[in-house]
Amino acid sequence: MNIHQVRIFYTAAQVMSITKTAKKMHLSQPSVSIQIKDLEESLGVKLFDRINRKISLTDAGKVFYSYAQRILNLIDETNIVMKDFGSGDVGSLAIGASNTIANYILPRYLGEFKENNPRVDISLSILNRQDAIEQCLGGDIDVAFVQEVRDHPDLRSELCMLDELVVVCSPRHRWASMGPLSISTLNSEAEPIIMREEGSGTRDLIEYAAEMIGAQLNIAMEMGNTEGIKRAVEANLGIAIISKNVIKREIKYKKLVSLEIRDLDTRRRFYIVCSSKRRPMPYVKRFYDFIVEKRQLPEDALEG
């Protein structure tokens, strides 16, 4: 049994004529008769009674007619849905991003994308860089936003937004009124630092910068999210180095103090990445291109 045979049967059952079926489907009468006969043989039952060149449905034919109708309706529905997927109008977009991007930068871009693509469902997972890249390569997520991505033969990446790290402390901390810090201060006064977990892009950058200036990090506490780090710093449990984007409210209400570091570049770049080995669905490519277009406004990204 094949779909072509089912369509021929369904048409014949509607018009009750081989001649009319052949004309309607632009086939020859012998071709219609052969297809119906092959269908009957594959099912092992007679679907039509043939009397004096007229046809009528058998009991089996009547039952099969209802199934044929459901089969063809389902095929038509499937074709419509697949056409929507092909056009990029429908789909489930899975994104992985760091805490900073996921909570403080991406939402407004996702809102704009969703407004223009209402039938694309979006899921956003907060992942550190290592996990985001692994899940992107494994196909668990469609795109990831990661910091300072290294060349990888199986990844496609584009610079999409800029960020800056700052040192923060409690207003009660002795550094709060010191003004700009120097690298020598960081070297000579090993303050307790509250850090993200290993594998975090932020931590990698901090450790790299510390190594470059010869500073020893006194890691007093590790936390898996930025909100926890901010609360710990507010409690004066240590200092932290976190994104400028995530502390605007705390700075405004004087819960945290931002400290400038002279002669130290703390800017960082974020990339959107996807697998180069998998052909992306149209809605994934549409989102990727949308983000790349937005990267032309880095100042806007920094404003958070």
Side-chain angles (χ1 to χ4, degrees), residues 16-19 48-57:
M16 286 299 174
S17 167
I18 298 298
T19 301
F48 290 104
D49 284 324
R50 298 163 179 81
I51 302 173
N52 298 328
R53 295 189 177 182
K54 292 183 179 181
I55 60 174
S56 61
L57 287 171

Side-chain angles (χ1 to χ4, degrees), residues 32-217:
V32 170
S33 297
I34 291 172
Q35 291 296 329
I36 291 176
K37 182 180 179 182
D38 289 346
L39 177 60
E40 289 176 325
E41 289 179 354
S42 67
L43 294 174
V45 294
K46 264 185 92 175
L47 299 174
F48 290 104
D49 284 324
R50 298 163 179 81
I51 302 173
N52 298 328
R53 295 189 177 182
K54 292 183 179 181
I55 60 174
S56 61
L57 287 171
T58 63
D59 289 341
K62 292 174 183 177
V63 172
F64 187 72
Y65 177 79
S66 65
Y67 280 101
Q69 188 174 40
R70 289 157 61 184
I71 290 169
L72 296 176
N73 285 342
L74 186 58
I75 289 172
D76 291 341
E77 180 182 337
T78 301
N79 287 332
I80 291 171
V81 172
M82 291 301 103
K83 184 177 180 181
D84 285 340
F85 271 100
S87 68
D89 294 332
V90 174
S92 296
L93 176 66
I95 304 170
S98 69
N99 181 77
T100 298
I101 296 180
N103 286 319
Y104 301 97
I105 298 176
L106 267 184
R108 59 193 171 129
Y109 295 123
L110 296 182
E112 182 179 344
F113 182 80
K114 181 68 174 178
E115 185 176 343
N116 295 322
N117 301 270
R119 300 176 67 191
V120 175
D121 295 327
I122 301 174
S123 63
L124 175 59
S125 301
I126 297 177
L127 304 168
N128 64 37
R129 182 179 65 180
Q130 182 177 340
D131 290 341
I133 289 176
E134 288 178 358
Q135 290 193 29
C136 197
L137 290 171
D140 297 313
I141 57 177
D142 297 303
V143 296
F145 291 86
V146 296
Q147 177 189 326
E148 305 297 343
V149 63
R150 298 176 178 88
D151 290 338
H152 194 293
D154 295 337
L155 284 178
R156 174 190 174 194
S157 64
E158 295 278 355
L159 174 66
C160 63
M161 55 190 72
L162 303 177
D163 189 22
E164 183 179 357
L165 295 176
V166 294
V167 176
V168 292
C169 68
S170 164
R172 293 177 284 147
H173 193 279
R174 59 192 178 87
W175 284 2
S177 58
M178 282 184 59
L181 299 174
S182 65
I183 292 177
S184 62
T185 302
L186 295 177
N187 278 333
S188 62
E189 301 183 30
E191 285 296 297
I193 297 180
I194 302 166
M195 298 273 281
R196 286 289 305 275
E197 77 286 359
E198 290 188 6
S200 159
T202 300
R203 178 161 177 166
D204 287 349
L205 181 59
I206 293 170
E207 290 179 338
Y208 174 76
E211 182 181 348
M212 293 298 293
I213 64 176
Q216 295 294 319
L217 297 176

